Each structure stands twice: as C-alpha cells, then as structure tokens.
Amino acid sequence: MNTRDWPIRAKLTALVIGPVTGLLALWIFATTLTFGPALDLLSARTLLYDLGRPGESVVAELQRERRLSVVQLAGGGTLPALAEQRVRTDDAIVELRRKVDGKDLRDVADEQLDARLDQLVSALDALPAGRAFIDDRKVDRSGAVGLYSGMIGSAFQAFGAMAALPDAQLNREATALTALGRSRELLGQADALLAGAVTAGRYAEGEHEQLVRTVENHRFLAETAVADLPAGERTSYQRLTEAPGFVKMRAFQDTLIRSPGLPARFDMAGWEASHAEVWQSLRDFELRGADALAERSVPMATRILVQLAAAGVLGLVAIVVCVLVALRVGRSLARRLTGVRAAATEVAEHRLPDVVARLRRGEEVDVAREAPELDHGGDEIGQVARAFNEVRRTAVRAAIDEVTLRRGFNEVILNLARRSQGLVHRQLALLDRLERRTEDPDELAGLFQVDHLATRLRRHAEDLVILAGAAPGRGWRRPVAAVDVMRGAISEVEAYDRVDVGEVASAGVLGRAVGDVIHLLAELIENATAYSPPGTRVDVTGRTVPGGYTIEITDRGLGMSAPALSAANRKLAEPPEFDPADSARLGLFVVARLAARHGVRVELRPARPAGIVAAVFVPSDLITDEPPVGADGPAGPERRRLAKVTRLSTVPRPGRPNRPGRDRSESTVVPLQSARASTVEPPTDGDGLPRRIRRRGASARPRAAVVDAPAYRTPEEARRAMSALQAGTARGRRDGSRAQAAGDADPDTPATTEKPDTGTPPATPGPAVEPALPVAEDRTATERDA
C-alpha cells in the first residue's frame, strides 16, 4: 500500500487508528474474558433454583419409584404404593419440564448444558413405556433397576454440566457435591436390589455381584468427593458419618458383602431405617452445600463485576485520552502544515503572478509587504515556515529582478529595432531614388532585389518592435483594397513566386489596420512557404463573411498534429507573454500580438488532402468598401473579381501616377519603372491591372547581374532555394515559350515601347525577362518611434 501521496490528515489518522484500535480490541477482549465468568457466577443461582432443585426432586422420586417397582416385580401382586409414587414422580417431572422449557434456564445454559438437558428430557419421555413393561412383567428386577438408573444418570450428567463454575474453588466444591449425589444414587441402587432380593427370598442371578459393586462404588465416590470439600465441609461430613445410622448401615453393608447369599434372618427393618436415615442426611448435606455455593457465588460475581467495571472504565478513559490527545496533536499539525501549504499556494498562484503583473505595469512593489512573515512555532514546522519565508522573499526579489531585466531587455530590443527601422527607412528611400534614375534593366532588376530584401528586413525589424511590446510605426490614412493588402504581404515573403492570389471578394481595409494586417498575412504566408515542399503552390483567397472579411492562406505541406494544432490555436487566441527561451514559434507570437491589437481572429485548421489553412477573420469595423481604382474606377462593391497571380508581376493600378511627389501614405503598390527600360502593356488580367515588361534600351551597356551576397544557410534551406530556383527557371522557360506562341498567333497584341522623356530613340524590343518585384506597402511613412 503506497501512502506517499496521502493527505497529512489521513497519515496522522492512520498513525492514531492503529494503536487505538489495538488498545480498544485488547480492552474488549479482556472485558469479555472477565465479564463472561462473572455472568456464569451470577447464573449459578439460576441454575441451582431452576435445574438443581427440580432435578434433585425428580431424582429422589425416581429412586423411590425404582425401589417399589423392583419390590413389585419380586412379589406376585401389585403394590398400591407404587401407583401413588408414580403420581408424585410425574408431578416432579412436570415441574422440571416447566423449568427446562423456561427462558431463564436456557439463557444461562451453555451448549453442553443445553445438549444434556435435551438428553434428560428424552430419557424422561421413555418413562411411561418402561412403566408399561414393568406392569406387564416384561423386564426382570435388574432391567427395572437399569431403566430407572439410566434416567437418574441423565439427570446427574446435567448436574455435572451445571457444576462448571469459573472459580476453581467453587468448581471443586460443586463437583464434590455432584459426586456425593452420585454416591447417594448408588446407595439407592443397593437398597432397591436388596429390597427385591428380600421380597423374593433370594438373589437373582448376578444380583449379589451387582450389589457388592454398587456398595464399593458408593464408598469410593463418597471418599473421593469429600476430599475436594473445604475443611469445614469435610468436618461436617465426618461428623455425619459417625452418626449411629451411618455406623449401622455400614455394618449391614459389610454383612451383605461377606455373605454370598441372602443372610438368614436378615434385619430388613433395621436396614430400611438406617438406609432412610443415611439417605436423607446425605441429601440434606448436598442441598445445604448447593445453597452455600449459590450464596457465595453472588458476592464473588459482584466483586468481579466491580473490578471489571473499574478496569473497563479506566481502560475506556485511557482510550478516550489517547484519542483526544492524538486528535488534538493531529489537528494542530494538520492545521499548521495546511497553513504552510496555503501560504505556499497563495504565493505561487496569486501573489507572485500579481507582483509580476504589477511590475510589468510599472508599479512599485514592497518586498516586505508582499512576503510577510509566517510564524508557526519553533519546532520543525516552524523552521520550515521560516525557510519558506526566506524562499518567498527571494522569489519576490527574483521576480522583481526578472521583470526589471525583461523590461530593460525589451527596451534594448526596441531601441535596436527603432534604429534598424530608421536605417531601413533611409535605405528604402535611397533605393527609391536610385530606381527612378536607373535606366539599365539589369541594374534595375538588381535594385528591385535589394528593395525586396530591404522590405523583408523592415518586417523583421517590426517583429522586434512587436516582441518588445510596442507598436510598429507604419500606417495609412486611407483605406486600401483587400487584394492590394494581400499583394503587399506577398511582396514581403522570400518565396513570393510560389504564392497565388486566387478569388478575392472586393473590399477595403481601413488605413489604421493596413500595416498590421499586411505584416500578419506576411508572417502566415512565409510560414506556409517555409513548411511546404518547394515545388508546391500557396493559395491566398479572400471572401466576405457575416461580420467581417476572411482571408485564407492554404499550403500543401505535411500539416501539423492535432495537439500541435490545438496548442498553436490557443496561442493565437490568447497571446502569451514573450519568452526569449521559446524562440521556435516567434512568427505565431507576432501574429497573435497583431491580431489581438485589432480584434482579428486567426485560426489554423487542416487542409484537404494535406497541409494547413490559416484563416484570418478581419472584423467588420475594419472593413469598408473597396477604394476606387484609376480614372474609370472599380466595378460595384458587389462584384467579385478573380486575381490570378502566378508571379508577383503587377504594377500600380491605373490612375496612381508615378510621380516623385506622390502621397506615399496613401499608396499600397509603388511603381518602380524606367521610361527607357520598360513598357506598360494594356490590361491583360480580369482585375484591370496593367503588366510591365522590362526591355533593354539601345544605349544601355551590358552589366553584370546584381546578385545578393548569400548569407549562411542550412543544408535544408539551400536545398529548398536550389529547388525553387530550378523550378522557377523551368517555369520561366515554359511561360516564355507560351507567350511567344501567343504573340505569333495574335498579331494585334501591342508591343511598342514608350518614348523616352529624354528624346533618345526608342529602344529596340528585346526578349521578355522576369518582371521586377514591386513594393507592396508604403516604405516612406514616418517611423513614429525611431
């Protein structure tokens, strides 16, 4: 049985229950052992008056009836005295039956006495049949003696079971009195045998030997019984045997023993007189002794009960005292330990978290007040409480230091992020000017790549600002179309060429949330491209739903397990505090912070047949009608449009001129084009957006391709990059072949270039190359906290 995890109350109770239960069991056992004999002593009186006296009367009447029955069998007629004696015997048996069937005698009788009482009743039930045999002379004198002697023997067996008293001295006296009764019974048997022989004038066969054995057994039992009597009783019996009747009867017995036949001129009258005197004297002696035993047993039983009561009360008091002391000590220990536990729990679950929360809010914390002293005595529990006091103070101080350190760490991160934002802002502004002045397509492509890296760098700097608990500085004053928000997010992802913008319902996002939504979508799209195979596509769609607008990002990766998906959704629903030790899911942390700022809900769920769907629900208070596009304006707000983008190759919508003085806080797609290096084609997609195709001018000098200085990449990243490059090259060749075939088939497709504003001849159309990467968000907005 493992008791290690038991509550302290259960353990203390177990410690108390064992000894107390043992003591209680011992007390009950001792009380029972003593109480039983005391009850036996008290029941001796009941046995004497309900069994002893009625039984002895039955025995006496049976002895008399036996003698008369033998005399009748020895003579030739019927004795009237026998009939009268039978009536007296029946009356005695009726009284005995009434006592035996009574409740008092049966309640005090044990199993042995019960059995012998049943045997006595059964033997007495055979008396009418025996009498019939005697009256019909179907038995001889010896048979008649045996019939009555058997019933009398059953009575003495019951007397012997009754004589089992708990006190040794009383038990010896009771046994001696029972033995004297048996000796008197043997004397009666001898009298019956002699009376029959005298009546018949001779002994029957074997009667003399039976008479001799009976006399010898009488004398032996009497001598043995007297030896167990107390000294006073022995003296009384000795005086009784010296009486003339005893002396005369002993002389008659000796004469009968020595003579093999019936002596001539035997004084039968003298025998009967001496026998009656001795029989009655012995009976009176037995009854006096039984009465004395009964009287002596009551005080003895009372004394035993008094001693038992005293011992029982003392034992019970000891048990109660032990229980009370154990309960008091156990309750005190449990209360003090519970107090220590409650204090520890209160500190761990309430006080320390409250202290940390207040510290993070910038409040001052008093260590002495937050960690008060616990006084639980001077024993081991008090020492534990004092040690816990020190632990609590140390924990509060550690919490203060930790929050202070984290606050300083966040300030350092925020400072570095703001500095990086300022540098990236200046870098993007410089790139914008360089792009405007650059005419060479290859140089422009290189600048576009640097512009894209700077845009991603700006997003990472904003991640640091969000991790530090501040808000990014980018913002828009006017609403932005939802499709442009999606494209702006795609432009901030490294593998933008793997992202397809699918069906997008027309809607606009309020300017105050545009920057954060773009950042949020960019994090989710980057995760989708990073955790899916390089050859797969990532789909971005948008639709209007009741209560807002939903943007779904679907990848075809391996997906996530159910526990990981549940944990990620919990983190997205309830943004936790930033823990620098948990850097594996920083993107989810940033998404959760951005979503919580505007009430946006983000949920991840499994895609079919594989992958993950990231659903972004933008509430209706951030959604408005889609802003107009160009001079012609967009279609009605109810119209849905399909924006199929296999590569990020779109330029600003018509009506958004590329002028140096444009309001950058209102734009979502910044055109980066050179009059000499690109041609703006008419709209070719269903969304009404023009395409820009870069062409090499005649005066442009060949330049080396602008290549990023590669940073260190893991083997997996390198493998993904090479796979993406290979797939992009193959796809570009296929697209070029299809475009050339389409151009040959449709001669009406315009292919002229714009005239340069410098007056130089138009450039010769060259082969189509990869479109330059546009910047899909405002890069020159004032950084508020830089």
Side-chain angles (χ1 to χ4, degrees), residues 14-77:
L15 290 175
V16 173
I17 285 178
V20 170
T21 303
L23 183 59
L24 183 61
L26 182 61
W27 177 77
I28 294 174
F29 179 71
T31 303
T32 303
L33 288 181
T34 310
F35 190 68
L39 292 180
D40 292 339
L41 289 174
L42 289 176
S43 65
R45 191 179 184 89
T46 302
L47 293 174
L48 175 63
Y49 290 107
D50 288 354
L51 177 61
R53 288 297 179 84
E56 194 278 332
S57 299
V58 171
V59 168
E61 299 301 333
L62 287 174
Q63 289 172 344
R64 295 188 182 97
E65 183 177 339
R66 177 180 59 190
R67 187 177 188 278
L68 293 175
S69 297
V70 171
V71 171
Q72 177 174 298
L73 289 174

Coordinates of all heavy atoms in Angstrom, one line a residue, residues 14-77:
A14 N -4.1 7.5 10.3 CA -3.6 6.1 10.2 C -2.7 5.8 11.4 O -2.7 4.7 12.0 CB -2.9 5.9 8.9
L15 N -1.8 6.8 11.7 CA -0.9 6.6 12.9 C -1.7 6.5 14.2 O -1.3 5.7 15.1 CB 0.0 7.8 13.0 CG 1.1 7.9 11.9 CD1 1.9 9.2 12.1 CD2 2.0 6.8 11.9
V16 N -2.8 7.1 14.3 CA -3.6 7.1 15.5 C -4.5 5.8 15.6 O -4.7 5.2 16.6 CB -4.5 8.3 15.7 CG1 -5.4 8.2 16.9 CG2 -3.5 9.5 15.9
I17 N -5.1 5.5 14.4 CA -6.0 4.4 14.4 C -5.4 3.1 14.8 O -6.0 2.3 15.5 CB -6.7 4.3 13.0 CG1 -7.7 5.5 12.8 CG2 -7.4 3.0 12.8 CD1 -8.3 5.5 11.4
G18 N -4.2 2.8 14.3 CA -3.5 1.5 14.6 C -3.4 1.3 16.1 O -4.0 0.3 16.6
P19 N -2.7 2.1 16.9 CA -2.6 1.8 18.3 C -3.9 1.9 19.1 O -4.2 1.1 19.9 CB -1.7 3.0 18.8 CG -0.9 3.4 17.6 CD -1.9 3.2 16.5
V20 N -4.8 2.8 18.7 CA -6.1 3.0 19.4 C -6.9 1.7 19.1 O -7.6 1.2 20.0 CB -6.8 4.2 19.0 CG1 -8.2 4.3 19.5 CG2 -6.0 5.5 19.5
T21 N -6.9 1.3 17.9 CA -7.7 0.1 17.6 C -7.2 -1.1 18.3 O -8.0 -2.0 18.9 CB -7.7 -0.2 16.1 OG1 -8.2 1.0 15.4 CG2 -8.5 -1.4 15.7
G22 N -5.8 -1.3 18.4 CA -5.3 -2.4 19.2 C -5.6 -2.3 20.6 O -6.0 -3.3 21.3
L23 N -5.5 -1.1 21.2 CA -5.9 -0.9 22.6 C -7.4 -1.2 22.9 O -7.7 -1.9 23.8 CB -5.5 0.5 23.0 CG -5.8 0.8 24.5 CD1 -4.9 -0.1 25.4 CD2 -5.4 2.3 24.8
L24 N -8.2 -0.8 21.9 CA -9.6 -1.0 22.1 C -10.0 -2.5 22.0 O -10.8 -3.0 22.7 CB -10.4 -0.2 21.0 CG -11.9 -0.3 21.1 CD1 -12.4 0.3 22.4 CD2 -12.5 0.5 19.9
A25 N -9.3 -3.2 21.0 CA -9.6 -4.6 20.9 C -9.1 -5.4 22.1 O -9.8 -6.3 22.6 CB -8.8 -5.1 19.6
L26 N -7.9 -5.0 22.7 CA -7.4 -5.6 23.9 C -8.4 -5.3 25.1 O -8.7 -6.3 25.9 CB -6.0 -5.1 24.2 CG -5.4 -5.7 25.4 CD1 -5.2 -7.2 25.3 CD2 -4.0 -5.0 25.7
W27 N -8.9 -4.1 25.1 CA -9.8 -3.8 26.2 C -11.1 -4.6 26.1 O -11.6 -5.2 27.1 CB -10.2 -2.3 26.2 CG -11.2 -1.9 27.2 CD1 -11.0 -1.7 28.5 CD2 -12.5 -1.6 26.9 NE1 -12.2 -1.3 29.1 CE2 -13.1 -1.2 28.1 CE3 -13.3 -1.6 25.8 CZ2 -14.5 -0.9 28.2 CZ3 -14.7 -1.3 25.9 CH2 -15.2 -0.9 27.1
I28 N -11.6 -4.7 24.9 CA -12.8 -5.5 24.7 C -12.6 -7.0 25.0 O -13.4 -7.7 25.6 CB -13.3 -5.4 23.2 CG1 -13.8 -3.9 23.0 CG2 -14.5 -6.3 22.9 CD1 -14.2 -3.6 21.5
F29 N -11.4 -7.5 24.6 CA -11.1 -8.9 24.8 C -11.0 -9.2 26.3 O -11.6 -10.2 26.8 CB -9.8 -9.3 24.1 CG -9.4 -10.7 24.3 CD1 -10.0 -11.7 23.7 CD2 -8.3 -11.0 25.1 CE1 -9.6 -13.0 23.9 CE2 -7.9 -12.3 25.3 CZ -8.5 -13.3 24.7
A30 N -10.3 -8.3 27.0 CA -10.1 -8.5 28.5 C -11.5 -8.4 29.2 O -11.8 -9.2 30.1 CB -9.1 -7.5 29.0
T31 N -12.3 -7.4 28.7 CA -13.6 -7.3 29.4 C -14.5 -8.5 29.1 O -15.2 -8.9 30.0 CB -14.2 -6.0 28.8 OG1 -13.4 -4.9 29.0 CG2 -15.6 -5.7 29.4
T32 N -14.4 -9.0 27.9 CA -15.2 -10.2 27.6 C -14.8 -11.4 28.5 O -15.6 -12.1 29.0 CB -15.1 -10.5 26.1 OG1 -15.5 -9.4 25.4 CG2 -16.0 -11.7 25.8
L33 N -13.4 -11.6 28.5 CA -12.9 -12.7 29.3 C -13.4 -12.6 30.8 O -13.6 -13.6 31.5 CB -11.4 -12.8 29.2 CG -10.9 -13.3 27.9 CD1 -9.3 -13.3 28.0 CD2 -11.4 -14.6 27.5
T34 N -13.4 -11.4 31.3 CA -13.8 -11.2 32.7 C -15.3 -11.2 32.9 O -15.8 -11.7 33.9 CB -13.2 -9.9 33.2 OG1 -11.8 -9.9 32.9 CG2 -13.3 -9.8 34.8
F35 N -16.0 -10.6 32.0 CA -17.4 -10.5 32.1 C -18.1 -11.8 32.0 O -19.2 -12.0 32.7 CB -17.9 -9.5 31.0 CG -19.3 -9.1 31.2 CD1 -19.7 -8.3 32.3 CD2 -20.3 -9.5 30.3 CE1 -21.0 -7.9 32.4 CE2 -21.6 -9.1 30.5 CZ -22.0 -8.3 31.6
G36 N -17.6 -12.7 31.1 CA -18.2 -14.0 31.0 C -18.3 -14.8 32.2 O -19.3 -15.3 32.7
P37 N -17.1 -15.0 32.9 CA -17.1 -15.7 34.2 C -18.0 -15.1 35.2 O -18.6 -15.8 36.0 CB -15.7 -15.7 34.6 CG -14.9 -15.6 33.3 CD -15.8 -14.8 32.4
A38 N -18.0 -13.7 35.3 CA -18.9 -13.1 36.2 C -20.4 -13.4 36.0 O -21.1 -13.7 36.9 CB -18.7 -11.6 36.2
L39 N -20.7 -13.4 34.7 CA -22.1 -13.8 34.4 C -22.4 -15.3 34.8 O -23.5 -15.6 35.2 CB -22.4 -13.6 32.9 CG -22.4 -12.1 32.4 CD1 -22.7 -12.1 30.9 CD2 -23.5 -11.3 33.2
D40 N -21.3 -16.1 34.6 CA -21.5 -17.5 35.0 C -21.7 -17.7 36.5 O -22.6 -18.5 36.9 CB -20.3 -18.3 34.5 CG -20.2 -18.4 33.0 OD1 -21.2 -18.3 32.3 OD2 -19.1 -18.7 32.5
L41 N -21.0 -16.8 37.2 CA -21.2 -16.9 38.7 C -22.6 -16.4 39.0 O -23.3 -17.0 39.9 CB -20.2 -16.0 39.4 CG -18.7 -16.6 39.4 CD1 -17.8 -15.6 40.0 CD2 -18.7 -17.9 40.2
L42 N -23.1 -15.4 38.4 CA -24.4 -14.9 38.6 C -25.5 -15.9 38.2 O -26.5 -16.0 38.8 CB -24.7 -13.6 37.9 CG -23.9 -12.4 38.5 CD1 -24.2 -11.1 37.7 CD2 -24.3 -12.1 40.0
S43 N -25.2 -16.7 37.1 CA -26.1 -17.7 36.7 C -26.1 -18.9 37.5 O -27.0 -19.8 37.3 CB -25.8 -18.0 35.2 OG -24.5 -18.7 35.1
A44 N -25.1 -19.1 38.4 CA -25.1 -20.3 39.3 C -26.4 -20.4 40.1 O -26.9 -21.4 40.4 CB -23.9 -20.3 40.1
R45 N -26.8 -19.3 40.6 CA -28.1 -19.2 41.4 C -29.3 -19.6 40.6 O -30.1 -20.4 41.1 CB -28.2 -17.8 42.0 CG -29.3 -17.7 43.1 CD -29.4 -16.3 43.6 NE -30.4 -16.2 44.7 CZ -30.1 -16.3 45.9 NH1 -28.8 -16.6 46.3 NH2 -31.0 -16.2 46.9
T46 N -29.3 -19.1 39.3 CA -30.4 -19.5 38.5 C -30.4 -21.0 38.2 O -31.4 -21.7 38.2 CB -30.3 -18.7 37.2 OG1 -30.4 -17.3 37.5 CG2 -31.5 -19.1 36.2
L47 N -29.2 -21.5 37.9 CA -29.1 -23.0 37.6 C -29.5 -23.8 38.8 O -30.1 -24.9 38.7 CB -27.6 -23.3 37.2 CG -27.1 -22.7 35.9 CD1 -25.7 -23.0 35.7 CD2 -27.9 -23.3 34.8
L48 N -29.1 -23.4 40.0 CA -29.5 -24.1 41.2 C -31.0 -24.2 41.4 O -31.6 -25.3 41.7 CB -28.8 -23.5 42.5 CG -29.2 -24.1 43.8 CD1 -28.8 -25.6 43.9 CD2 -28.6 -23.3 45.0
Y49 N -31.7 -23.0 41.3 CA -33.1 -23.0 41.6 C -34.0 -23.4 40.4 O -35.1 -23.8 40.6 CB -33.5 -21.6 42.0 CG -33.0 -21.3 43.4 CD1 -31.9 -20.4 43.5 CD2 -33.5 -21.9 44.5 CE1 -31.4 -20.1 44.8 CE2 -33.0 -21.6 45.8 CZ -32.0 -20.7 45.9 OH -31.5 -20.4 47.2
D50 N -33.4 -23.3 39.2 CA -34.2 -23.7 38.0 C -33.9 -25.2 37.5 O -34.7 -25.8 36.8 CB -34.0 -22.8 36.8 CG -34.7 -21.4 37.1 OD1 -35.4 -21.3 38.1 OD2 -34.5 -20.5 36.3
L51 N -32.8 -25.7 37.9 CA -32.4 -27.0 37.5 C -32.0 -27.9 38.7 O -32.4 -29.1 38.7 CB -31.3 -27.0 36.5 CG -30.7 -28.3 36.0 CD1 -31.8 -29.1 35.3 CD2 -29.5 -28.1 35.1
G52 N -31.2 -27.4 39.6 CA -30.7 -28.2 40.7 C -31.8 -28.7 41.6 O -32.0 -30.0 41.8
R53 N -32.7 -27.9 42.1 CA -33.7 -28.3 43.0 C -34.8 -29.1 42.3 O -35.1 -30.2 42.8 CB -34.4 -27.1 43.6 CG -33.5 -26.4 44.7 CD -33.2 -27.3 45.8 NE -32.4 -26.7 46.8 CZ -32.8 -25.9 47.8 NH1 -34.1 -25.6 47.9 NH2 -31.9 -25.4 48.7
P54 N -35.3 -28.7 41.1 CA -36.3 -29.5 40.5 C -35.7 -30.9 40.0 O -36.4 -31.9 40.1 CB -36.8 -28.7 39.3 CG -36.5 -27.3 39.6 CD -35.2 -27.4 40.5
G55 N -34.5 -30.8 39.5 CA -33.8 -32.1 39.1 C -33.6 -33.0 40.3 O -33.8 -34.3 40.1
E56 N -33.2 -32.5 41.4 CA -32.9 -33.4 42.6 C -34.2 -34.0 43.0 O -34.3 -35.2 43.5 CB -32.3 -32.5 43.7 CG -31.7 -33.4 44.8 CD -32.7 -33.8 45.8 OE1 -33.8 -33.1 46.0 OE2 -32.5 -34.9 46.4
S57 N -35.3 -33.2 43.0 CA -36.6 -33.8 43.4 C -37.0 -34.9 42.4 O -37.5 -36.0 42.9 CB -37.7 -32.7 43.3 OG -37.4 -31.7 44.3
V58 N -36.8 -34.8 41.1 CA -37.1 -35.8 40.2 C -36.3 -37.1 40.5 O -36.8 -38.2 40.4 CB -36.9 -35.3 38.7 CG1 -37.0 -36.5 37.7 CG2 -37.9 -34.3 38.4
V59 N -35.0 -36.8 40.8 CA -34.1 -38.0 41.1 C -34.6 -38.7 42.3 O -34.6 -40.0 42.4 CB -32.7 -37.5 41.3 CG1 -31.8 -38.6 41.9 CG2 -32.1 -37.0 39.9
A60 N -35.0 -38.0 43.3 CA -35.4 -38.6 44.6 C -36.7 -39.4 44.3 O -36.9 -40.6 44.8 CB -35.7 -37.6 45.6
E61 N -37.7 -38.9 43.6 CA -38.9 -39.6 43.3 C -38.6 -40.8 42.4 O -39.3 -41.9 42.6 CB -39.9 -38.7 42.6 CG -40.3 -37.5 43.5 CD -40.9 -37.9 44.8 OE1 -41.5 -39.0 44.9 OE2 -40.8 -37.1 45.7
L62 N -37.7 -40.7 41.5 CA -37.4 -41.8 40.6 C -36.7 -42.9 41.5 O -36.9 -44.2 41.2 CB -36.4 -41.4 39.5 CG -37.1 -40.6 38.4 CD1 -36.0 -40.1 37.4 CD2 -38.2 -41.4 37.6
Q63 N -35.9 -42.6 42.4 CA -35.3 -43.6 43.3 C -36.3 -44.3 44.1 O -36.2 -45.6 44.2 CB -34.2 -42.9 44.2 CG -33.0 -42.4 43.5 CD -32.1 -41.6 44.4 OE1 -32.5 -41.1 45.4 NE2 -30.8 -41.4 43.9
R64 N -37.3 -43.6 44.6 CA -38.3 -44.3 45.4 C -39.2 -45.2 44.5 O -39.6 -46.3 44.9 CB -39.2 -43.3 46.1 CG -38.5 -42.4 47.1 CD -39.5 -41.5 47.9 NE -38.9 -40.7 48.9 CZ -38.6 -39.4 48.7 NH1 -38.9 -38.8 47.5 NH2 -38.0 -38.7 49.6
E65 N -39.5 -44.6 43.3 CA -40.3 -45.5 42.4 C -39.6 -46.7 41.9 O -40.2 -47.8 41.7 CB -40.8 -44.6 41.2 CG -41.6 -45.3 40.2 CD -42.1 -44.5 39.0 OE1 -42.1 -43.2 39.2 OE2 -42.5 -45.0 38.0
R66 N -38.2 -46.5 41.8 CA -37.4 -47.7 41.4 C -37.5 -48.8 42.4 O -37.7 -50.0 42.1 CB -36.0 -47.2 41.1 CG -35.0 -48.4 40.8 CD -33.6 -47.8 40.6 NE -33.2 -47.1 41.8 CZ -32.0 -46.4 41.8 NH1 -31.3 -46.2 40.7 NH2 -31.7 -45.8 43.0
R67 N -37.4 -48.5 43.7 CA -37.4 -49.5 44.8 C -38.8 -50.2 44.8 O -38.8 -51.4 44.9 CB -37.1 -48.8 46.1 CG -37.0 -49.8 47.3 CD -36.7 -49.0 48.6 NE -36.3 -50.0 49.6 CZ -37.2 -50.6 50.4 NH1 -38.5 -50.5 50.2 NH2 -36.8 -51.5 51.3
L68 N -39.8 -49.4 44.7 CA -41.2 -50.0 44.7 C -41.4 -50.9 43.5 O -42.1 -52.0 43.6 CB -42.2 -48.9 44.8 CG -42.3 -48.1 46.1 CD1 -43.3 -47.0 46.0 CD2 -42.6 -49.1 47.3
S69 N -40.9 -50.5 42.3 CA -41.0 -51.3 41.1 C -40.3 -52.6 41.2 O -40.8 -53.7 40.8 CB -40.5 -50.5 39.9 OG -41.3 -49.3 39.7
V70 N -39.1 -52.6 41.8 CA -38.3 -53.8 42.0 C -39.1 -54.8 43.0 O -39.1 -56.0 42.8 CB -36.9 -53.5 42.4 CG1 -36.2 -54.8 42.8 CG2 -36.1 -52.8 41.3
V71 N -39.6 -54.2 44.0 CA -40.4 -55.0 45.0 C -41.6 -55.6 44.4 O -41.9 -56.8 44.6 CB -40.7 -54.1 46.2 CG1 -41.7 -54.9 47.2 CG2 -39.5 -53.7 47.0
Q72 N -42.3 -54.8 43.5 CA -43.5 -55.4 42.9 C -43.1 -56.5 41.9 O -43.8 -57.5 41.8 CB -44.2 -54.3 42.1 CG -45.4 -54.8 41.3 CD -46.2 -53.7 40.7 OE1 -46.7 -52.8 41.4 NE2 -46.3 -53.6 39.4
L73 N -42.0 -56.3 41.2 CA -41.5 -57.4 40.3 C -41.1 -58.7 41.1 O -41.3 -59.8 40.6 CB -40.4 -56.9 39.4 CG -40.7 -55.9 38.3 CD1 -39.5 -55.4 37.6 CD2 -41.7 -56.5 37.3
A74 N -40.6 -58.4 42.3 CA -40.1 -59.6 43.1 C -41.3 -60.3 43.7 O -41.3 -61.5 44.0 CB -39.2 -59.1 44.2
G75 N -42.4 -59.6 44.0 CA -43.6 -60.2 44.6 C -44.6 -60.7 43.5 O -44.3 -60.7 42.3
G76 N -45.7 -61.1 43.9 CA -46.6 -61.7 43.0 C -47.8 -60.8 42.7 O -48.6 -61.1 41.8
G77 N -47.9 -59.6 43.3 CA -49.1 -58.8 43.1 C -48.7 -57.4 42.7 O -47.6 -57.1 42.3

